[in-house]
């Protein structure tokens, strides 16, 4: 926007300023066959991911691409065996541009969660596991929490092992793990267990911003960006006491 004062008043997300847009060259699409669709757990919802016949785009082999959400599957009548036109959005992220019906099509059916075997429900535009305690969603929430606090060495596979093998259910459980607990996880030896333990507890010795703590609580819709904005006016204790009108 030419009006920079007004533009600055719109603020920004963690990703971009709200007063500007970037125009980039049109990406070249490449066609490939949809072999399967799997559901990837997020913090709350399930995201359909396309498993593709490998295709090369700009010297990069593409085997998977996001299908956005369940409504995209319905609106585009996606079936296994269809031809998908794929681009590398911004030359990085594989993106499904168009869906072309194939000759031998197989209907997509999603009834049960592959992790906890609970019913899958559709609430437009997304699919959800009906089990609020599903470990698939829990693992993603805990991953987001540790990333918010700056713990980079703890990845999703290890968090999943902590949940399944050590009974971890929340962020505090992770901090209460001993070196021996981590050592008992598959794939860990003495040195790697001690290294991960030290990495987890390093944040106790380093300053942690309040916005990181608020973001790590995994309140729906409250990420780092909004946490910073909220804490410009209130501290965390004060936020707990605010009414709905005050928050609005």
């Amino acid at each position: 926007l030419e009006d920079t004062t007004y533009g600055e008043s719109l603020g920004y997300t963690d990703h971009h300023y709200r007063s500007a847009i970037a125009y980039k060259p049109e990406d070249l699409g490449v066609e490939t066959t949809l072999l399967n669709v799997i559901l990837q757990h997020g913090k709350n919802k399930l995201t359909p991911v396309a498993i593709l016949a490998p295709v090369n785009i700009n010297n990069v082999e593409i085997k998977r691409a996001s299908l956005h959400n369940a409504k995209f599957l319905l609106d585009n009548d996606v079936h296994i065996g269809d031809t998908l036109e794929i681009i590398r959005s911004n030359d990085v992220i594989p993106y499904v541009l168009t869906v072309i019906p194939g000759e031998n099509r197989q209907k997509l059916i999603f009834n049960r969660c592959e992790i906890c075997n609970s019913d899958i429900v559709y609430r437009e535009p997304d699919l959800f596991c009906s089990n609020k305690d599903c470990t698939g969603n829990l693992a993603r929430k805990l991953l987001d929490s540790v990333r918010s606090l700056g713990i980079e060495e703890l990845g999703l596979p290890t968090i999943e092992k902590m949940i399944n093998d050590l009974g971890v259910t929340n962020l505090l459980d992770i901090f209460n793990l001993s070196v021996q607990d981590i050592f008992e996880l598959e794939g860990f030896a003495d040195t790697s267990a001690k290294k991960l333990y030290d990495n987890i507890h390093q944040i106790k010795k380093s300053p942690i911003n309040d916005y990181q703590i608020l973001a790590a609580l995994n309140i729906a819709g409250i990420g780092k960006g909004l946490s910073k904005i909220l804490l410009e006016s209130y501290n965390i204790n004060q936020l707990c006491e605010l009414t709905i009108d005050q928050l609005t």
Side-chain angles (χ1 to χ4, degrees):
L1 299 176
E2 290 184 359
D3 186 339
T4 55
T5 301
Y6 174 63
E8 289 173 0
S9 75
L10 298 178
Y12 51 88
T13 71
D14 278 347
H15 182 264
H16 62 271
Y17 292 97
R18 292 194 174 99
S19 58
I21 186 170
Y23 289 96
K24 301 185 179 182
E26 184 175 355
D27 296 290
L28 179 66
V30 177
E31 293 184 355
T32 185
T33 302
L34 177 63
L35 302 179
N36 195 12
V37 176
I38 61 173
L39 295 180
Q40 178 175 288
H41 279 72
K43 291 195 293 181
N44 297 295
K45 62 186 180 181
L46 302 171
T47 300
V49 176
I51 306 300
L52 308 167
V55 61
N56 190 287
I57 303 178
N58 297 339
N59 298 316
V60 176
E61 186 178 61
I62 305 298
K63 297 180 180 180
R64 296 160 65 103
S66 172
L67 288 165
H68 316 302
N69 54 44
K71 190 174 187 299
F72 179 87
L73 301 180
L74 294 171
D75 290 347
N76 292 277
D77 191 31
V78 177
H79 285 61
I80 294 173
D82 287 348
T83 297
L84 306 185
E85 183 182 6
I86 308 295
I87 60 174
R88 288 188 71 207
S89 182
N90 298 331
D91 208 29
V92 178
I93 304 169
Y95 180 91
V96 177
L97 193 63
T98 57
V99 180
I100 305 167
E103 293 184 4
N104 300 310
R105 312 178 79 205
Q106 298 179 36
K107 187 178 179 66
L108 296 173
I109 300 175
F110 302 114
N111 292 324
R112 314 288 292 183
C113 172
E114 291 187 0
I115 291 182
C116 69
N117 202 38
S118 299
D119 291 336
I120 290 176
V121 296
Y122 176 60
R123 295 194 296 272
E124 188 175 322
D126 294 303
L127 293 171
F128 299 85
C129 175
S130 59
N131 176 14
K132 64 181 181 64
D133 297 318
C134 178
T135 57
N137 296 130
L138 175 60
R140 290 284 176 175
K141 288 179 179 178
L142 289 178
L143 177 65
D144 190 69
S145 291
V146 299
R147 290 289 184 268
S148 295
L149 293 178
I151 303 172
E152 299 296 335
E153 298 295 324
L154 183 52
L156 183 62
T158 301
I159 290 176
E160 290 173 340
K161 293 174 187 176
M162 288 177 172
I163 293 171
N164 295 324
D165 300 342
L166 302 176
V168 165
T169 62
N170 56 56
L171 190 57
L172 187 59
D173 287 343
I174 292 177
F175 282 102
N176 286 333
L177 293 176
S178 65
V179 176
Q180 182 60 35
D181 290 329
I182 299 173
F183 173 74
E184 291 176 0
L185 295 174
E186 181 183 353
F188 280 87
D190 288 340
T191 302
S192 55
K194 181 64 166 57
K195 181 180 178 181
L196 179 56
Y197 176 87
D198 290 342
N199 184 254
I200 292 171
H201 289 269
Q202 181 63 37
I203 67 168
K204 295 180 178 180
K205 304 174 185 177
S206 306
I208 305 174
N209 296 304
D210 281 356
Y211 78 83
Q212 293 176 279
I213 297 173
L214 182 57
L217 297 180
N218 264 312
I219 301 170
I222 311 296
K224 287 184 179 180
L226 190 51
S227 294
K228 290 179 181 178
I229 293 172
L230 288 168
L231 293 171
E232 288 176 356
S233 304
Y234 304 96
N235 61 41
I236 290 181
N237 288 332
Q238 290 171 331
L239 284 177
C240 295
E241 305 298 328
L242 295 184
T243 65
I244 291 177
D245 288 340
Q246 287 172 313
L247 286 169
T248 301

